[in-house]
Amino acid sequence: MTDAILVLNGGSSSLKFAVFQWRDELHLLVRGSVSSIGERPRLHVAPTAMTPPFDRSLGEQPISIGTAFEAVASYLADRGLLRRVGRVGHRIVHGGREFVRAMLLDERTLGALRRLEPLAPIHQAINLELVDLASRLLPGTMQVGCFDTAFHAAQPEHARLYGLPHEMAEQGIVSYGFHGLSYSHIASELNNRYGAAAGGRTIVAHLGSGASLCAMKAGVSHATTMGFSTLDGLVMSTRCGAIDPGILLHLLQDRKLSSDELADLLYQRSGLLGVSGISANMQTLLASKDPAAMRAVDLFVYRVGREIGSLAAAIGGLDTIVFTAGIGEHAPAIRQSICEAAGWLGVGLDEELNAHGEELISAPDSLVDVLVIPADEERAVAAELLGFEGFEGKD
């Protein structure tokens, strides 16, 4: 019986996975991750109604995404889950202009996605390597891609254009936006809470190693801080965020950086790590007494607060703020500072609810609901597979 959906979500430092069963609704069978694959990798499985917790070191040396996948596959095979997988859903970071809904990952589609690798160099190659690995391990399964960029395809044209010659936009140099599967999940959760209004005018803060904001109306994307690439917008763990393009010209023309050196600087040596000179990890910086750590934290909060103002203008006000992803879910001090920065919009925080990580953390007199909702890109992928043409629930 192949009644299970395996979801693979590969990143630069981790491989998240989940297995769902479809019986009238999605039932989570197992959820886990291989974390810290570039340092001391561990396979961790969260407890569910179907599986006990599991945690095992995978050694003291860095491993490849392929080795991480082998560890996941072995875990699932040992528990009889691998043979039940009939469909594999893949989170693909960049779908370009062509792929705005879940797609069967055949050779034509994969070729088009490979051509997008320069636009998401940290993630796209990893995502596509996982497609290849899963196809070889499970040759009879349907491989389906779900795209982070697809959620933002409904944005108005003016939100996607840059001030460049229009023929460049026609060639694909437009704002795509990212973290769409995370935002799709949050929109679904807001629909469950508020109904079709989905929180009204909402800004979702996906704050993790990669970070962005998305402004929604009734659960539909209207603007977002990431644009053509995953470098844009907020200051991130190692990525610079929005930057004056004149700086890039200066680095190329006057300081003679090569394109590879510039890419390494912007993607790997900037952000919280570059500004602090200490760490890319927000919890490490919050625990540090070094003034350089606070400088990086203050910059992160300032940029989030400034972008909230910009996005609130784009949607004509603010009814709801949602925090999600690693920093958004687990750093109450950051949530408090961001809400203080957004106080002029009527945001009021209940400090006790915030400290305890409740779902609704706004004060009773706040004009804006403030929520903390865990990210679940894996469930968003599985949900897209249910609507994919040819899905029949179970064989």
Side-chain angles (χ1 to χ4, degrees), residues 96-97 99-101 148-156 160 176 221:
R97 290 193 298 176
F99 304 116
V100 296
R101 61 183 60 83
D148 259 341
T149 48
F151 183 74
H152 304 293
Q155 287 183 3
R160 299 172 64 82
Y176 291 100
S221 176

Side-chain angles (χ1 to χ4, degrees), residues 259-320:
S259 59
D260 286 344
E261 289 171 330
L262 183 60
D264 180 64
L265 170 67
L266 301 179
Y267 277 102
Q268 305 291 352
R269 296 192 290 114
S270 297
L272 296 176
L273 175 64
V275 174
S276 71
I278 296 171
S279 176
N281 184 281
M282 179 61 79
Q283 296 295 350
T284 300
L285 296 177
L286 288 171
S288 174
K289 296 182 180 179
D290 192 315
M294 185 53 62
R295 179 174 62 218
V297 173
D298 286 347
L299 176 61
F300 180 86
V301 170
Y302 167 73
R303 291 285 284 272
V304 174
R306 195 171 79 171
E307 290 294 341
I308 285 174
S310 172
L311 292 181
I315 54 176
L318 186 60
D319 301 308
T320 307

Side-chain angles (χ1 to χ4, degrees), residues 213-227:
L213 305 178
C214 179
M216 305 178 188
K217 283 184 178 180
V220 176
S221 176
H222 278 252
T224 188
T225 56
M226 277 186 176

Side-chain angles (χ1 to χ4, degrees), residues 325-343:
I327 297 170
E329 294 171 33
H330 304 297
I334 296 297
R335 293 196 299 262
Q336 179 171 338
S337 295
I338 291 171
C339 287
E340 288 172 354

